[in-house]
Amino acid sequence: MRKVDVAIIGAGSAGLSARRQIVKKTQNYIVIDDGILGTTCARVGCMPSKVLIQVAEDFNRRSKLAEEGIHGGSDLTINTKEVMQHVRKLRDRFVRAVDSGMATWANENTLIRKRAEFIDDNTLDLGDEKIHAEKIIIATGSTPIIPKELEDHKEFLISTDHFFELEDLPKSMAVVGLGVIGIELGQALHRLGVNVLGIARRKLIAGVTDPEVRAYVTDKFKEQMNITYHGIRAVEKVGNQLKITTDEGETLVDKILVTAGRKANVESLALENIGCNLDSRGIPEFCLETFKLKEKQHIFIVGDVSGQRPILHEASDEGNIAGFNAVADGHTPFKVRTAMEVTFSDPNIALVGMKYEELMNQGIKFSEGKVSFEGQGRSIVKLKEIGLLKVYGETKTGRLLGAELFAPDGEHLAHLLSWVISQGMTVNQVLALPFYHPVIEEGLRTALRDLRDKVEERQPPIEIYPLES
């Protein structure tokens, strides 16, 4: 039986990050993965979706050109087959960047292209060989969920794992699930000329929890494209199409893009053999500061499979923490970074720090600052007068706690907010920082000024702090 210091199951973003820490201390490790390499982000997630979104935004801009005195925009056409070729071209470039060097691991017998199953908490069965590992990191990722009402029509279904392999876009498509990926791709497809029906089970897009922001977001998207917030009542095959019945009526579509969430890849691991209690998803309990299993502290679980935050930078952080602790002496907990979720719709949606729902559930006394981007200077210039931002601060101290926003260039506002929240800054301290003119960030300043007047933090005479004598 081959014996190693660390076995990593899964060569995705979390597993690769774990490996980077492990090789600093030992070369006696293995990475086990029998699937397609290249990471979910590079192959079927973050990167190819952003390429498609960029194309859609560029094409959509044609509707504003005449307003600026630029004529001929209405004559622009789109070749969706060439669009998908462009998406795959850049996707393959991103994947190559991830895969570079992995061939060397295979030659060194550190990358094993097999499926792993637990025999016990230290032993893995790879089919034709067994591995004894002192430490094991589970980083097996996730798989798209197919809703039960669609299981009988699989020939019409496209998951995000296969969407970017389409040679061309269909004329019509339903998008089932309006979370981050669903609304990103749904809006992009709509802008590229696909007849899109967006379907959600409730009036919620991209996980927004603030009631006012949520209502604004759902109403604005309903104005832009065909969306139902009441789910599917019936599905029926009609010729070469599917007839989808909702509360709003019947729609014929060529394909259904399923973006209804993902489930952890644990079914083939035989986790019942490690001797831990498993939750309803088949996941053992683990520590959020070290990612060690609470009952088996030589085993770690990281990335999408953990079910925490299925976002690349979070998966990488978890992998780095697990990899560090797998080869370190002792037990080192790490501070969790300020939460940040960005949806690359247009405008962007972002959730930063503590969400409205979290603040309410935890009974934290907080105040809200608000700004509309309708009429905001830079938004007017960009011809993007749409958006609403809410920022939350602790009422007694003025310390910033979180924000939910729907705004032009919201991805950048989210970063600025996450940084000042991470530093524990108060609303007056942030207002003392420089704000240029004219920029979208001035909208954030307006929201901060609104918040400042509602908290108990003592205000300086003016926003600029006086020099200390």
Side-chain angles (χ1 to χ4, degrees):
M1 183 184 298
R2 182 177 175 184
K3 296 183 178 181
V4 297
D5 295 330
V6 186
I8 304 170
I9 310 174
S13 298
L16 297 181
S17 295
R19 176 193 171 273
R20 281 193 287 272
Q21 297 300 323
I22 288 164
V23 295
K24 295 176 182 178
K25 294 291 184 72
T26 180
Q27 296 301 312
N28 186 27
Y29 74 93
I30 56 171
V31 178
I32 307 164
D33 195 315
D34 70 334
I36 301 171
L37 301 178
T39 78
T40 296
C41 172
R43 285 190 306 102
V44 299
C46 322
M47 301 313 294
S49 65
K50 301 313 168 285
V51 179
L52 186 76
I53 289 166
Q54 186 62 54
V55 175
E57 288 188 5
D58 291 345
F59 187 57
N60 186 64
R61 185 67 182 175
R62 75 194 188 284
S63 63
K64 298 292 185 180
L65 297 180
E67 191 173 343
E68 297 173 311
I70 305 171
H71 298 283
S74 58
D75 296 328
L76 293 175
T77 59
I78 191 90
N79 184 316
T80 52
K81 188 171 184 178
E82 291 178 3
V83 169
M84 296 308 289
Q85 289 172 349
H86 171 69
V87 171
R88 282 192 294 277
K89 177 184 175 182
L90 294 193
R91 184 274 310 273
D92 293 346
R93 178 178 176 182
F94 298 130
V95 170
R96 282 196 301 273
V98 173
D99 288 349
S100 60
M102 293 183 77
T104 305
W105 309 355
N107 294 336
E108 294 171 350
N109 203 26
T110 55
L111 176 62
I112 300 178
R113 307 287 281 126
K114 299 175 183 176
R115 177 172 296 184
E117 180 178 303
F118 280 90
I119 296 174
D120 57 45
D121 59 357
N122 282 106
T123 312
L124 299 172
D125 186 355
L126 305 188
D128 58 352
E129 64 175 316
K130 293 180 175 58
I131 301 292
H132 181 276
E134 293 299 319
K135 305 287 179 65
I136 299 174
I137 299 175
I138 302 169
T140 47
S142 60
T143 302
I145 295 171
I146 303 299
K148 289 183 178 179
E149 63 264 35
L150 300 177
E151 288 180 347
D152 293 337
H153 303 283
K154 290 185 177 179
E155 70 272 25
F156 291 95
L157 306 185
I158 304 170
S159 74
T160 50
D161 280 359
H162 301 100
F163 173 78
F164 298 105
E165 300 307 321
L166 289 175
E167 290 295 322
D168 200 355
L169 296 177
K171 299 297 182 185
S172 58
M173 179 177 284
V175 179
V176 177
L178 296 181
V180 172
I181 298 298
I183 198 62
E184 285 182 350
L185 294 181
Q187 184 186 49
L189 290 167
H190 170 72
R191 290 180 165 187
L192 291 170
V194 178
N195 184 13
V196 173
L197 170 63
I199 301 172
R201 293 180 183 273
R202 54 189 175 133
K203 203 171 183 182
L204 175 66
I205 286 178
V208 175
T209 73
D210 185 294
E212 187 176 6
V213 180
R214 183 172 62 207
Y216 184 89
V217 169
T218 52
D219 288 346
K220 289 300 179 182
F221 273 107
K222 183 82 170 178
E223 292 172 7
Q224 292 182 32
M225 49 193 286
N226 188 15
I227 292 178
T228 177
Y229 295 117
H230 303 288
I232 298 173
R233 290 177 56 189
V235 181
E236 178 186 354
K237 183 177 179 180
V238 178
N240 294 324
Q241 293 181 301
L242 274 183
K243 182 173 71 174
I244 298 178
T245 303
T246 68
D247 285 355
E248 282 82 3
E250 298 175 346
T251 304
L252 288 172
V253 298
D254 298 319
K255 294 289 183 182
I256 296 179
L257 176 60
V258 182
T259 58
R262 299 176 72 92
K263 62 180 179 180
N265 290 332
V266 294
E267 292 180 358
S268 65
L269 291 174
L271 288 178
E272 64 275 9
N273 293 333
I274 66 176
C276 288
N277 292 319
L278 306 178
D279 65 17
S280 59
R281 302 165 301 152
I283 306 294
E285 188 178 7
F286 60 94
C287 172
L288 289 172
E289 296 172 337
T290 63
F291 297 94
K292 292 182 177 182
L293 302 193
K294 292 193 173 179
E295 295 179 73
K296 301 288 180 178
Q297 300 215 346
H298 64 287
I299 301 177
F300 304 77
I301 186 164
V302 294
D304 287 5
V305 70
S306 73
Q308 294 303 298
R309 298 175 184 169
I311 305 169
L312 178 132
H313 72 270
E314 299 284 359
S316 296
D317 283 353
E318 293 175 15
N320 279 310
I321 292 169
F324 178 90
N325 276 310
V327 292
D329 295 328
H331 168 104
T332 305
F334 286 84
K335 182 180 179 180
V336 177
R337 297 195 211 220
T338 299
M340 177 169 52
E341 303 171 37
V342 178
T343 300
F344 290 85
S345 56
D346 183 23
N348 300 149
I349 298 169
L351 314 175
V352 186
M354 297 187 73
K355 304 172 190 175
Y356 177 92
E357 189 174 68
E358 291 177 277
L359 293 165
M360 293 296 291
N361 290 343
Q362 294 183 32
I364 296 173
K365 293 184 178 180
F366 69 99
S367 299
E368 306 174 9
K370 180 172 70 171
V371 65
S372 168
F373 288 88
E374 298 178 18
Q376 193 269 336
R378 185 65 172 162
S379 300
I380 295 172
V381 171
K382 294 164 74 71
L383 299 181
K384 289 190 174 184
E385 287 188 73
I386 178 174
L388 178 66
L389 181 152
K390 299 278 285 290
V391 61
Y392 315 120
E394 191 174 45
T395 300
K396 186 173 183 60
T397 66
R399 181 171 61 91
L400 295 185
L401 301 172
E404 300 194 23
L405 60 96
F406 179 51
D409 298 328
E411 60 184 289
H412 305 300
L413 297 178
H415 278 83
L416 297 175
L417 282 161
S418 70
W419 293 344
V420 296
I421 291 170
S422 296
Q423 295 299 311
M425 296 179 72
T426 68
V427 61
N428 284 301
Q429 288 173 332
V430 177
L431 282 169
L433 298 174
F435 287 81
Y436 206 76
H437 172 77
V439 293
I440 290 292
E441 285 76 8
E442 288 179 299
L444 171 59
R445 183 175 61 183
T446 301
L448 291 169
R449 286 172 172 170
D450 185 32
L451 175 63
R452 174 191 60 194
D453 296 336
K454 299 173 182 176
V455 298
E456 297 173 20
E457 180 191 11
R458 183 179 178 183
Q459 297 180 22
I462 59 175
E463 287 176 352
I464 307 167
Y465 277 75
L467 289 172
E468 295 180 3
S469 57

